[in-house]
Amino acid sequence: MRQLIDKMFGAAFRNEWSEEQHDGAILPDVPGRQPVLTTDSFVVDPLSFPGGDIGTLAVCGTVNDLAMCGAEPKYLTCGFVIEEGLPMEQLWSVVCSMQSTAEQAGVQIVTGDTKVVDRGKADKLFINTAGLGFVEPGHAARPGRIQANDVVLLSGDVGRHGVVVLAARDGLGFETEIESDCQPLNHATRGLLDAGVEVHCFRDLTRGGLATGMVELAGTAGLACSIREAEVPVREDVRGACELLGLAPLYVANAGRFVAVVSEAHADRAIEVLRGLGGDHQPVRIGSFQAGRGGRVTLQTTAGSERILDMLSGEQLPRIC
Amino acid sequence: MRQLIDKMFGAAFRNEWSEEQHDGAILPDVPGRQPVLTTDSFVVDPLSFPGGDIGTLAVCGTVNDLAMCGAEPKYLTCGFVIEEGLPMEQLWSVVCSMQSTAEQAGVQIVTGDTKVVDRGKADKLFINTAGLGFVEPGHAARPGRIQANDVVLLSGDVGRHGVVVLAARDGLGFETEIESDCQPLNHATRGLLDAGVEVHCFRDLTRGGLATGMVELAGTAGLACSIREAEVPVREDVRGACELLGLAPLYVANAGRFVAVVSEAHADRAIEVLRGLGGDHQPVRIGSFQAGRGGRVTLQTTAGSERILDMLSGEQLPRIC
């Protein structure tokens, strides 16, 4: 089985490093750039869902974490934990998703590892990816750079990924009409940075959704933040599915949505740039940071009231990514 | 649970990157060095064994893969997949092992990820680590640099780790007298490189042991290789345990043993340097590479005969690392 898997990975991810069959990938130097390192494990259940599968997620998740630092993602590692008995065609399909998503993002999968465990000791397939990217010193986006009066831009509608995965898991009927927003975001972040937009921070809105992402950012930045609910796009079918599933769209995981925190003076330009990139981005200005209690995020609701947003309360949705 | 885990990791792995709580770690540039990237997943069963635990292994394994490329390991990522119900004190013990092993190796754990899955959907704890190191261009060790007449040095006795884990798993009595050889190897490889030894390649002898490592190296290098069995140190208790367990010591996984492939002229000096580093290394010259059929490894047995070594034949020992 291991030999088969090695052949499979060798065929899909072929490049000069995988061909060297060494303990690690010795990569070219990138003078004047800082390395950026990140990792994520993926345990999504079910393995595939409308709009993607665990392989798409595993590449996008790590590519996007690098992009959120302002870095250009370059190289990925992948570690597979496989439950004995996983059909080989299912694994092959995931490996092909990884390779095509890597091509879409412009990254190479340079080294990996496979472990097989007995039936019943894992659930089909878990994937870890780590990513290495490089950032120009002036482009480094981080929570510590956020300032009062910075504007919060959201890259598009929220809530799709979580709803799609839960619906696919439970065999609900509406999943066919909604697709996950799973996509690499590095072309969007690069577009903004290359256009000279003064970006202070990016954050992709994965586990815990938009609300949790904003509370985390505000906490780390030591600033308050306010968000206008009416400006946050949620598709009607996603809103309906959330009601059915008992979810709040602002807390549902996304897989291809992010916020960009930009200086007030650059907000309009940022929206223009993102729109010009085409693709799935429909950027909107949803709020801003202000001096105030660090981590306090206020939602101006559509009903006209104000509400303090918390981290995801209650149980975190399990195995959504 | 997730909050508890985050606090635990935050406390154990505290550094400027973990404190920034961003999607990735933005690291300092290392001018004139090439980045080296590697990854490994760890699913060892049981989680702890004489001489280490899954945390020790997860740090050593990735540190050692970087060291085998001639690189100085600097930064690790870690991804945890945790089965619901894992006792927190057990997780804490593993996290502490990781931190103390990281200190011993001189690396920092800069970013991580945690996923919790339902009881029965994983086996207690799986860990992935990825590692970033940097290599001086002249120090890059790789199979492609191996030449005919290069000497194979082995860093010490083989077979301990696999025997210890199997014995601990099966509750055999002799495990208390043998400890895993699990250890970071980067100080040893750096010692050799800093002393100016002309090292062409390193290989740590993990899954599949010495025999598999040599067959892989010879295959990638396109050379033949011969090994003298009498020169390969195996402790008497390890040899006895192997007989009991039906294992061949040359195929048993190690966690802190490596071969250095060095130019003939530098072999004596290399042994002297490794001896001088102290620690657990007892270097011996076990064989050499020659022109011949690529991948053909001949064992001169203690019985005086010759035998062609294969990759690990039969079933790979599962979950040894």
Side-chain angles (χ1 to χ4, degrees), chain A residues 2-3 17 19-43 64-66 68-70 75-81 84 110-118 120-123 126 128-132 134-135 140-144 201-204 207 216-217 220 311-312 315-316 318-319 321, chain B residues 2-3 17 19-43 64-66 68-70 75-81 84 110-118 120-123 126 128-132 134-135 140-144 201-204 207 216-217 220 311-312 315-316 318-319 321:
Chain A
R2 219 181 91 79
Q3 281 176 17
W17 298 282
E19 280 177 9
E20 194 169 51
Q21 297 183 36
H22 196 17
D23 287 331
I26 303 175
L27 304 165
D29 187 18
V30 182
R33 305 282 178 100
Q34 289 179 258
V36 179
L37 190 62
T38 190
T39 192
D40 256 324
S41 295
F42 298 86
V43 299
N64 292 351
D65 280 348
L66 293 173
M68 296 304 115
C69 297
Y75 308 107
L76 298 190
T77 69
C78 62
F80 292 82
V81 174
E84 204 188 7
V110 294
T111 186
D113 176 64
T114 310
K115 295 288 189 296
V116 179
V117 300
D118 284 346
K121 298 299 184 186
D123 191 11
F126 301 148
N128 176 283
T129 48
L132 176 62
F134 296 90
V135 65
R142 42 177 32 133
C201 194
F202 293 114
R203 178 62 50 104
D204 59 343
R207 278 195 291 182
E216 284 173 0
L217 278 190
T220 314
M311 296 264 194
L312 183 50
E315 205 178 342
Q316 178 107 276
R319 301 186 62 187
C321 61
Chain B
R2 219 181 91 79
Q3 281 177 17
W17 298 283
E19 280 178 8
E20 195 170 49
Q21 296 183 38
H22 196 17
D23 287 330
I26 302 174
L27 304 164
D29 188 19
V30 182
R33 305 282 179 100
Q34 291 179 255
V36 179
L37 190 62
T38 190
T39 191
D40 256 325
S41 295
F42 298 86
V43 298
N64 293 351
D65 280 348
L66 293 173
M68 295 304 117
C69 297
Y75 307 106
L76 298 190
T77 69
C78 63
F80 293 82
V81 175
E84 201 188 10
V110 293
T111 184
D113 175 65
T114 310
K115 295 288 188 299
V116 179
V117 299
D118 284 346
K121 298 299 184 185
D123 191 10
F126 301 148
N128 175 282
T129 48
L132 176 63
F134 296 90
V135 65
R142 44 177 32 133
C201 195
F202 293 114
R203 178 61 49 105
D204 59 343
R207 279 195 291 182
E216 285 175 357
L217 278 190
T220 314
M311 295 266 193
L312 182 52
E315 206 179 342
Q316 178 107 276
R319 301 187 61 185
C321 60

Side-chain angles (χ1 to χ4, degrees), chain A residues 267-278:
Chain A
D268 290 337
R269 171 96 180 102
I271 287 184
E272 197 180 299
V273 169
L274 264 182
R275 282 206 185 117
L277 290 172

Side-chain angles (χ1 to χ4, degrees), chain A residues 56 60 99-107 182-184 186-187:
Chain A
T56 332
C60 289
Q99 180 55 25
S100 71
T101 312
E103 279 169 25
Q104 197 188 338
V107 299
C182 187
Q183 62 186 312
N186 54 317
H187 302 308

Side-chain angles (χ1 to χ4, degrees), chain B residues 282-298:
Chain B
Q282 298 155 313
V284 283
R285 185 195 281 236
I286 60 165
S288 62
F289 282 90
Q290 305 95 29
R293 213 181 76 206
R296 185 185 180 98
V297 179
T298 313

